[in-house]
Amino acid sequence: MVLAPPLPPRGHPTGAGGAPPPFPPPPPSPPPQVLTNIALLIQKHSANVEKGRPLYKRWRFIFGFLLNTGSEIGLSAPASLFAPLALLAPLGGVAVVVNALLTRFGCVCGIKEKLSYLEWVATLCVMGGVALVAFSVSVNRLE
């Protein structure tokens, strides 16, 4: 009597019988979250520079909106389908830290804001929380 190999659990990214999936899963969350941060900073720059213009003449705002929408639909949604929540939650905290650093050093559109002492402490607390969550998750539970 020959037994068939067990099927992967429901929702597992491999196909039936352990075959590889028809397409590679998208990257986890950081690229879409960083793109979203950049898009929102472009929109903020538009609000500062293109003040008083009608919305259809604010090309920076429209570009930021399309970049944000594209990254959320094209990257965040598929990444949420394939990545476990234990991976996505800490990466959301990383996105907050990246956004704080992008605005502090003026990497996008020259938007440069100073962080107060309390904001630096909060950023370090977020980084500590991300590290705690990332290192407390068992590898066996992610597989």
Side-chain angles (χ1 to χ4, degrees):
M1 179 170 166
V2 177
L3 297 176
L7 292 175
R10 187 178 188 116
H12 195 268
T14 60
F23 54 89
S29 235
Q33 290 177 345
V34 170
L35 277 177
T36 298
N37 289 341
I38 290 171
L40 293 176
L41 289 173
I42 291 171
Q43 288 180 318
K44 182 177 181 179
H45 180 66
S46 169
N48 295 338
V49 173
E50 300 172 331
K51 194 182 309 182
R53 289 186 186 174
L55 188 60
Y56 65 91
K57 289 187 178 182
R58 292 182 175 191
W59 67 270
R60 289 176 188 92
F61 181 83
I62 293 170
F63 175 71
F65 177 78
L66 292 175
L67 184 64
N68 186 16
T69 304
S71 73
E72 290 296 328
I73 292 172
L75 295 173
S76 289
S80 298
L81 290 174
F82 290 107
L85 185 60
L87 179 66
L88 292 178
L91 293 176
V94 170
V96 171
V97 172
V98 168
N99 192 26
L101 296 177
L102 285 176
T103 56
R104 168 62 182 102
F105 296 112
C107 298
V108 179
C109 298
I111 294 178
K112 192 170 184 179
E113 298 179 357
K114 291 192 178 225
L115 295 177
S116 68
Y117 176 74
L118 185 61
E119 290 168 335
W120 279 111
V121 169
T123 303
L124 290 174
C125 287
V126 169
M127 289 171 59
V130 167
L132 283 174
V133 170
F135 292 122
S136 67
V137 174
S138 171
V139 175
N140 295 335
R141 291 192 333 209
L142 288 178
E143 293 177 355

Coordinates of all heavy atoms in Angstrom, one line a residue, residues 64-143:
G64 N 2.5 61.7 -5.6 CA 2.6 61.1 -4.3 C 1.4 60.2 -4.1 O 1.5 59.1 -3.5
F65 N 0.2 60.7 -4.5 CA -1.0 59.9 -4.3 C -0.9 58.6 -5.1 O -1.3 57.5 -4.6 CB -2.2 60.7 -4.7 CG -3.5 60.0 -4.6 CD1 -4.1 59.8 -3.4 CD2 -4.1 59.5 -5.8 CE1 -5.3 59.1 -3.3 CE2 -5.3 58.8 -5.7 CZ -5.9 58.6 -4.5
L66 N -0.5 58.7 -6.4 CA -0.4 57.5 -7.2 C 0.6 56.5 -6.7 O 0.4 55.3 -6.7 CB -0.2 57.9 -8.7 CG -1.3 58.6 -9.4 CD1 -0.9 59.1 -10.8 CD2 -2.5 57.8 -9.4
L67 N 1.8 57.1 -6.2 CA 2.8 56.2 -5.7 C 2.3 55.5 -4.4 O 2.5 54.3 -4.2 CB 4.0 57.1 -5.3 CG 5.3 56.3 -4.8 CD1 5.8 55.4 -5.9 CD2 6.3 57.3 -4.4
N68 N 1.6 56.2 -3.5 CA 1.1 55.6 -2.3 C 0.0 54.5 -2.7 O 0.1 53.4 -2.1 CB 0.4 56.7 -1.4 CG 0.0 56.2 -0.1 OD1 0.3 55.1 0.3 ND2 -0.8 57.0 0.6
T69 N -0.9 54.9 -3.5 CA -1.9 53.9 -3.9 C -1.3 52.7 -4.6 O -1.7 51.5 -4.3 CB -2.9 54.6 -4.9 OG1 -3.5 55.7 -4.2 CG2 -4.1 53.6 -5.2
G70 N -0.4 52.9 -5.5 CA 0.3 51.8 -6.2 C 1.0 50.9 -5.2 O 1.0 49.6 -5.3
S71 N 1.7 51.4 -4.3 CA 2.5 50.6 -3.3 C 1.5 49.8 -2.4 O 1.8 48.7 -2.0 CB 3.5 51.4 -2.5 OG 2.8 52.2 -1.6
E72 N 0.5 50.5 -2.0 CA -0.5 49.8 -1.1 C -1.2 48.6 -1.8 O -1.4 47.5 -1.3 CB -1.5 50.8 -0.5 CG -0.9 51.7 0.5 CD -0.4 51.1 1.7 OE1 -1.0 50.0 2.1 OE2 0.6 51.6 2.3
I73 N -1.7 48.9 -3.0 CA -2.4 47.8 -3.8 C -1.4 46.8 -4.3 O -1.7 45.6 -4.2 CB -3.2 48.5 -4.9 CG1 -4.4 49.3 -4.3 CG2 -3.8 47.4 -5.8 CD1 -5.1 50.1 -5.3
G74 N -0.3 47.2 -4.9 CA 0.5 46.3 -5.6 C 1.5 45.6 -4.8 O 2.0 44.5 -5.1
L75 N 1.9 46.1 -3.6 CA 2.9 45.5 -2.8 C 2.4 45.1 -1.4 O 2.7 44.1 -0.9 CB 4.1 46.4 -2.6 CG 4.9 46.7 -3.9 CD1 6.0 47.7 -3.7 CD2 5.5 45.4 -4.5
S76 N 1.7 46.0 -0.7 CA 1.3 45.8 0.7 C 0.3 44.6 0.8 O 0.4 43.8 1.6 CB 0.7 47.0 1.3 OG 1.7 47.9 1.6
A77 N -0.7 44.7 -0.1 CA -1.8 43.7 0.0 C -1.2 42.3 -0.3 O -1.5 41.4 0.5 CB -2.9 44.0 -1.0
P78 N -0.5 42.0 -1.4 CA 0.1 40.7 -1.5 C 1.1 40.3 -0.4 O 1.1 39.1 0.0 CB 0.8 40.8 -2.9 CG 0.2 41.9 -3.6 CD -0.2 42.9 -2.5
A79 N 1.8 41.2 0.1 CA 2.8 40.9 1.1 C 2.0 40.5 2.4 O 2.4 39.6 3.1 CB 3.7 42.1 1.5
S80 N 0.9 41.1 2.6 CA 0.1 40.7 3.8 C -0.5 39.3 3.6 O -0.8 38.7 4.6 CB -1.1 41.7 4.0 OG -0.5 43.0 4.3
L81 N -0.8 38.9 2.4 CA -1.3 37.6 2.2 C -0.3 36.5 2.5 O -0.6 35.4 2.9 CB -1.8 37.5 0.7 CG -3.1 38.2 0.4 CD1 -3.3 38.1 -1.1 CD2 -4.2 37.7 1.2
F82 N 1.0 36.7 2.1 CA 2.0 35.7 2.2 C 2.8 35.7 3.5 O 3.3 34.7 3.9 CB 2.9 35.8 1.0 CG 2.3 35.4 -0.3 CD1 1.9 36.4 -1.2 CD2 1.9 34.1 -0.6 CE1 1.3 36.0 -2.4 CE2 1.3 33.7 -1.7 CZ 1.0 34.7 -2.7
A83 N 3.0 36.9 4.1 CA 3.9 37.0 5.2 C 3.1 36.8 6.5 O 1.9 37.2 6.6 CB 4.6 38.4 5.3
P84 N 3.7 36.1 7.5 CA 3.0 35.9 8.8 C 2.9 37.2 9.6 O 3.7 38.1 9.4 CB 3.8 34.9 9.5 CG 5.1 35.0 8.9 CD 4.9 35.4 7.5
L85 N 1.9 37.4 10.4 CA 1.7 38.6 11.2 C 2.9 38.8 12.1 O 3.2 40.0 12.4 CB 0.4 38.5 12.0 CG 0.0 39.7 12.8 CD1 -0.2 40.9 11.8 CD2 -1.2 39.5 13.6
A86 N 3.5 37.8 12.6 CA 4.7 37.9 13.5 C 5.8 38.6 12.7 O 6.7 39.2 13.4 CB 5.1 36.6 14.0
L87 N 5.8 38.6 11.4 CA 6.8 39.3 10.6 C 6.4 40.7 10.3 O 7.2 41.7 10.3 CB 7.2 38.5 9.4 CG 8.2 39.1 8.4 CD1 9.5 39.2 9.1 CD2 8.2 38.3 7.1
L88 N 5.1 40.9 10.0 CA 4.6 42.2 9.6 C 4.5 43.2 10.7 O 4.8 44.4 10.5 CB 3.2 42.0 8.9 CG 3.1 41.3 7.6 CD1 1.7 41.2 7.2 CD2 4.0 41.9 6.6
A89 N 4.2 42.8 11.9 CA 4.0 43.8 13.0 C 5.4 44.5 13.3 O 5.4 45.7 13.4 CB 3.5 43.0 14.2
P90 N 6.5 43.8 13.4 CA 7.7 44.5 13.7 C 8.1 45.4 12.5 O 8.7 46.5 12.7 CB 8.8 43.4 13.9 CG 8.0 42.2 14.2 CD 6.7 42.3 13.6
L91 N 7.8 45.0 11.3 CA 8.2 45.8 10.2 C 7.4 47.1 10.1 O 7.9 48.1 9.5 CB 8.1 45.0 8.9 CG 9.0 43.8 8.8 CD1 8.8 43.0 7.5 CD2 10.5 44.3 8.8
G92 N 6.2 47.1 10.7 CA 5.5 48.3 10.8 C 6.2 49.3 11.7 O 6.2 50.5 11.4
G93 N 6.8 48.8 12.7 CA 7.6 49.7 13.6 C 8.8 50.2 12.9 O 9.3 51.3 13.1
V94 N 9.5 49.3 12.1 CA 10.6 49.8 11.3 C 10.3 50.9 10.4 O 11.0 51.8 10.2 CB 11.2 48.6 10.6 CG1 12.3 49.0 9.6 CG2 11.8 47.6 11.5
A95 N 9.1 50.8 9.8 CA 8.6 51.9 8.9 C 8.5 53.2 9.6 O 8.8 54.3 9.1 CB 7.3 51.5 8.2
V96 N 8.0 53.2 10.9 CA 7.9 54.4 11.7 C 9.3 55.0 11.9 O 9.5 56.2 11.8 CB 7.2 54.2 13.0 CG1 7.3 55.3 13.9 CG2 5.8 53.8 12.8
V97 N 10.3 54.2 12.2 CA 11.7 54.6 12.4 C 12.2 55.2 11.1 O 12.9 56.3 11.1 CB 12.5 53.5 13.0 CG1 14.0 53.9 13.1 CG2 12.0 53.1 14.4
V98 N 12.0 54.5 10.0 CA 12.5 55.0 8.7 C 11.9 56.3 8.4 O 12.6 57.2 7.9 CB 12.2 53.9 7.6 CG1 12.5 54.5 6.2 CG2 13.1 52.7 7.8
N99 N 10.6 56.5 8.6 CA 10.0 57.8 8.4 C 10.6 58.9 9.2 O 10.8 60.0 8.7 CB 8.5 57.7 8.6 CG 7.7 58.9 8.1 OD1 8.2 59.5 7.1 ND2 6.6 59.1 8.6
A100 N 10.9 58.6 10.5 CA 11.5 59.6 11.3 C 12.9 60.0 10.8 O 13.2 61.2 10.8 CB 11.6 59.1 12.8
L101 N 13.6 59.0 10.4 CA 15.0 59.3 9.9 C 14.9 60.0 8.5 O 15.8 60.9 8.3 CB 15.8 58.0 9.8 CG 16.1 57.3 11.1 CD1 16.8 56.0 10.9 CD2 16.9 58.2 12.0
L102 N 14.0 59.7 7.7 CA 13.8 60.3 6.4 C 13.5 61.8 6.6 O 14.1 62.7 5.9 CB 12.8 59.7 5.5 CG 13.1 58.4 4.9 CD1 11.8 57.8 4.1 CD2 14.2 58.5 3.9
T103 N 12.6 62.1 7.5 CA 12.3 63.5 7.7 C 13.4 64.3 8.5 O 13.5 65.4 8.3 CB 10.9 63.6 8.5 OG1 11.0 62.9 9.7 CG2 9.8 63.1 7.7
R104 N 14.1 63.6 9.3 CA 15.2 64.2 10.1 C 16.3 64.7 9.2 O 16.8 65.7 9.3 CB 15.7 63.3 11.2 CG 17.0 63.7 11.9 CD 16.8 65.1 12.6 NE 18.0 65.5 13.2 CZ 18.8 66.5 12.7 NH1 18.5 67.0 11.5 NH2 19.9 66.9 13.3
F105 N 16.7 63.8 8.3 CA 17.9 64.1 7.4 C 17.5 64.7 6.1 O 18.4 64.9 5.3 CB 18.7 62.8 7.2 CG 19.3 62.3 8.5 CD1 18.9 61.1 9.1 CD2 20.2 63.1 9.2 CE1 19.4 60.7 10.3 CE2 20.8 62.7 10.4 CZ 20.3 61.5 11.0
G106 N 16.2 64.9 5.8 CA 15.8 65.6 4.6 C 16.1 64.8 3.3 O 16.5 65.4 2.3
C107 N 15.9 63.5 3.3 CA 16.2 62.7 2.2 C 15.2 62.8 1.1 O 15.5 62.4 -0.1 CB 16.3 61.2 2.6 SG 17.6 60.9 3.8
V108 N 14.0 63.2 1.3 CA 12.9 63.3 0.3 C 12.5 64.7 0.2 O 12.0 65.3 1.1 CB 11.7 62.4 0.7 CG1 10.6 62.5 -0.3 CG2 12.2 61.0 0.9
C109 N 12.6 65.3 -1.0 CA 12.1 66.6 -1.4 C 12.7 67.7 -0.5 O 12.0 68.8 -0.4 CB 10.6 66.6 -1.4 SG 9.9 65.6 -2.6
G110 N 13.7 67.5 0.2 CA 14.3 68.5 1.1 C 13.4 68.8 2.3 O 13.7 69.8 3.0
I111 N 12.5 67.9 2.7 CA 11.7 68.1 3.9 C 12.6 67.7 5.1 O 13.0 66.5 5.2 CB 10.4 67.3 3.9 CG1 9.5 67.8 2.8 CG2 9.7 67.3 5.2 CD1 8.2 67.0 2.7
K112 N 13.0 68.7 5.9 CA 13.9 68.4 7.0 C 13.3 69.0 8.2 O 13.1 70.2 8.3 CB 15.3 69.0 6.7 CG 16.4 68.6 7.6 CD 17.7 69.1 7.1 CE 18.8 68.5 8.0 NZ 20.1 69.0 7.5
E113 N 13.0 68.1 9.2 CA 12.4 68.5 10.4 C 13.3 68.0 11.6 O 13.9 67.0 11.5 CB 11.0 67.9 10.6 CG 10.1 68.4 9.5 CD 8.7 67.7 9.7 OE1 8.5 66.9 10.6 OE2 7.8 68.0 8.9
K114 N 13.4 68.9 12.6 CA 14.2 68.5 13.7 C 13.4 67.7 14.7 O 12.2 67.9 14.9 CB 14.7 69.7 14.4 CG 15.8 70.5 13.6 CD 16.4 71.5 14.5 CE 17.5 72.2 13.7 NZ 18.7 72.4 14.3
L115 N 14.0 66.6 15.2 CA 13.3 65.8 16.2 C 13.7 66.3 17.6 O 14.8 66.5 17.9 CB 13.7 64.3 16.1 CG 13.3 63.6 14.8 CD1 13.9 62.2 14.7 CD2 11.8 63.6 14.6
S116 N 12.7 66.4 18.4 CA 12.9 66.8 19.8 C 13.5 65.6 20.6 O 13.5 64.5 20.1 CB 11.6 67.3 20.5 OG 10.7 66.2 20.6
Y117 N 13.9 65.9 21.8 CA 14.5 64.9 22.7 C 13.4 63.8 22.9 O 13.7 62.6 22.8 CB 14.9 65.5 24.0 CG 15.4 64.5 25.0 CD1 16.6 63.9 24.9 CD2 14.6 64.2 26.1 CE1 17.1 63.0 25.8 CE2 15.0 63.2 27.0 CZ 16.2 62.6 26.9 OH 16.7 61.7 27.8
L118 N 12.2 64.2 23.1 CA 11.1 63.2 23.4 C 10.9 62.3 22.1 O 10.6 61.1 22.3 CB 9.8 63.9 23.8 CG 8.7 63.1 24.2 CD1 9.1 62.2 25.4 CD2 7.5 63.9 24.6
E119 N 10.9 62.9 21.0 CA 10.7 62.2 19.7 C 11.9 61.2 19.5 O 11.6 60.1 19.0 CB 10.6 63.1 18.5 CG 9.3 63.9 18.6 CD 9.3 65.0 17.6 OE1 10.3 65.6 17.2 OE2 8.2 65.5 17.2
W120 N 13.1 61.5 19.8 CA 14.2 60.6 19.8 C 14.0 59.4 20.7 O 14.3 58.3 20.4 CB 15.6 61.3 20.0 CG 16.1 62.0 18.8 CD1 16.2 63.3 18.7 CD2 16.6 61.4 17.6 NE1 16.8 63.6 17.5 CE2 17.0 62.4 16.8 CE3 16.7 60.1 17.2 CZ2 17.6 62.2 15.5 CZ3 17.3 59.9 15.9 CH2 17.7 60.9 15.1
V121 N 13.6 59.8 21.9 CA 13.3 58.7 22.9 C 12.2 57.8 22.4 O 12.3 56.5 22.6 CB 13.0 59.3 24.3 CG1 12.4 58.3 25.3 CG2 14.2 60.0 24.9
A122 N 11.1 58.3 21.9 CA 10.0 57.5 21.3 C 10.5 56.6 20.2 O 10.1 55.5 20.1 CB 8.9 58.4 20.9
T123 N 11.4 57.2 19.3 CA 11.9 56.4 18.2 C 12.8 55.2 18.7 O 12.7 54.1 18.3 CB 12.8 57.3 17.3 OG1 11.9 58.3 16.8 CG2 13.3 56.5 16.1
L124 N 13.6 55.5 19.8 CA 14.4 54.4 20.4 C 13.5 53.4 21.0 O 13.8 52.2 21.0 CB 15.4 55.0 21.4 CG 16.5 55.8 20.8 CD1 17.3 56.5 21.8 CD2 17.4 54.9 19.9
C125 N 12.4 53.8 21.7 CA 11.4 52.8 22.3 C 10.8 52.0 21.2 O 10.6 50.7 21.4 CB 10.4 53.6 23.0 SG 10.9 54.3 24.6
V126 N 10.5 52.5 20.1 CA 9.9 51.8 19.0 C 10.9 50.7 18.5 O 10.6 49.6 18.2 CB 9.4 52.7 17.8 CG1 9.1 51.9 16.6 CG2 8.2 53.5 18.2
M127 N 12.2 51.2 18.3 CA 13.2 50.3 17.9 C 13.4 49.1 18.9 O 13.6 48.0 18.5 CB 14.5 51.0 17.7 CG 14.5 51.9 16.4 SD 15.9 53.0 16.3 CE 17.3 51.9 16.2
G128 N 13.4 49.5 20.2 CA 13.5 48.4 21.2 C 12.3 47.4 21.1 O 12.5 46.2 21.3
G129 N 11.1 47.9 20.9 CA 10.0 47.1 20.8 C 10.1 46.2 19.6 O 9.7 45.0 19.6
V130 N 10.5 46.7 18.5 CA 10.7 45.9 17.3 C 11.8 44.8 17.6 O 11.6 43.6 17.2 CB 11.2 46.8 16.1 CG1 11.7 45.9 14.9 CG2 10.1 47.7 15.6
A131 N 12.8 45.1 18.2 CA 13.9 44.1 18.5 C 13.3 43.0 19.5 O 13.6 41.9 19.3 CB 15.1 44.8 19.2
L132 N 12.5 43.4 20.5 CA 11.9 42.5 21.4 C 11.0 41.5 20.7 O 11.1 40.3 20.9 CB 11.2 43.2 22.5 CG 12.0 43.8 23.6 CD1 11.1 44.6 24.6 CD2 12.7 42.7 24.4
V133 N 10.2 42.0 19.8 CA 9.2 41.2 19.1 C 10.0 40.3 18.1 O 9.7 39.1 17.9 CB 8.2 42.0 18.3 CG1 7.3 41.2 17.4 CG2 7.3 42.7 19.4
A134 N 11.0 40.9 17.4 CA 11.7 40.1 16.4 C 12.5 38.9 17.0 O 12.5 37.9 16.4 CB 12.6 41.0 15.6
F135 N 13.1 39.2 18.2 CA 13.9 38.1 18.8 C 13.1 37.2 19.7 O 13.6 36.1 20.1 CB 15.1 38.7 19.5 CG 16.1 39.4 18.6 CD1 16.4 40.7 18.7 CD2 16.7 38.7 17.6 CE1 17.3 41.4 17.9 CE2 17.6 39.3 16.7 CZ 17.9 40.6 16.9
S136 N 11.9 37.5 20.0 CA 11.1 36.6 20.9 C 10.3 35.6 20.1 O 9.7 34.7 20.7 CB 10.2 37.5 21.8 OG 9.2 38.1 21.0
V137 N 10.2 35.8 18.8 CA 9.4 34.9 18.0 C 10.2 33.6 17.7 O 11.3 33.7 17.3 CB 8.9 35.5 16.7 CG1 8.2 34.6 15.8 CG2 8.0 36.7 17.0
S138 N 9.6 32.5 17.9 CA 10.3 31.2 17.7 C 10.3 30.9 16.2 O 9.3 31.2 15.5 CB 9.5 30.1 18.4 OG 10.0 28.8 18.0
V139 N 11.4 30.4 15.7 CA 11.5 30.1 14.3 C 10.5 29.0 13.9 O 10.0 29.0 12.8 CB 13.0 29.7 13.9 CG1 13.1 29.2 12.5 CG2 13.9 30.8 14.2
N140 N 10.3 28.1 14.7 CA 9.4 26.9 14.4 C 8.0 27.4 14.2 O 7.2 26.9 13.4 CB 9.4 25.9 15.5 CG 10.7 25.2 15.7 OD1 11.5 25.2 14.7 ND2 11.0 24.8 16.9
R141 N 7.6 28.5 14.9 CA 6.2 29.0 14.7 C 6.0 29.7 13.4 O 4.9 29.8 12.9 CB 5.8 29.9 15.8 CG 5.7 29.2 17.1 CD 5.1 30.0 18.2 NE 5.2 31.4 18.1 CZ 5.3 32.3 19.1 NH1 5.2 31.8 20.3 NH2 5.4 33.6 18.9
L142 N 7.1 30.2 12.8 CA 7.0 30.9 11.5 C 6.9 29.9 10.3 O 6.4 30.3 9.3 CB 8.2 31.9 11.3 CG 8.2 33.1 12.2 CD1 9.5 33.9 11.9 CD2 7.0 33.9 11.9
E143 N 7.4 28.7 10.5 CA 7.4 27.8 9.4 C 6.1 27.1 9.2 O 5.2 27.0 9.9 CB 8.5 26.8 9.6 CG 9.9 27.4 9.5 CD 11.0 26.4 9.8 OE1 10.7 25.2 10.1 OE2 12.1 26.8 9.7

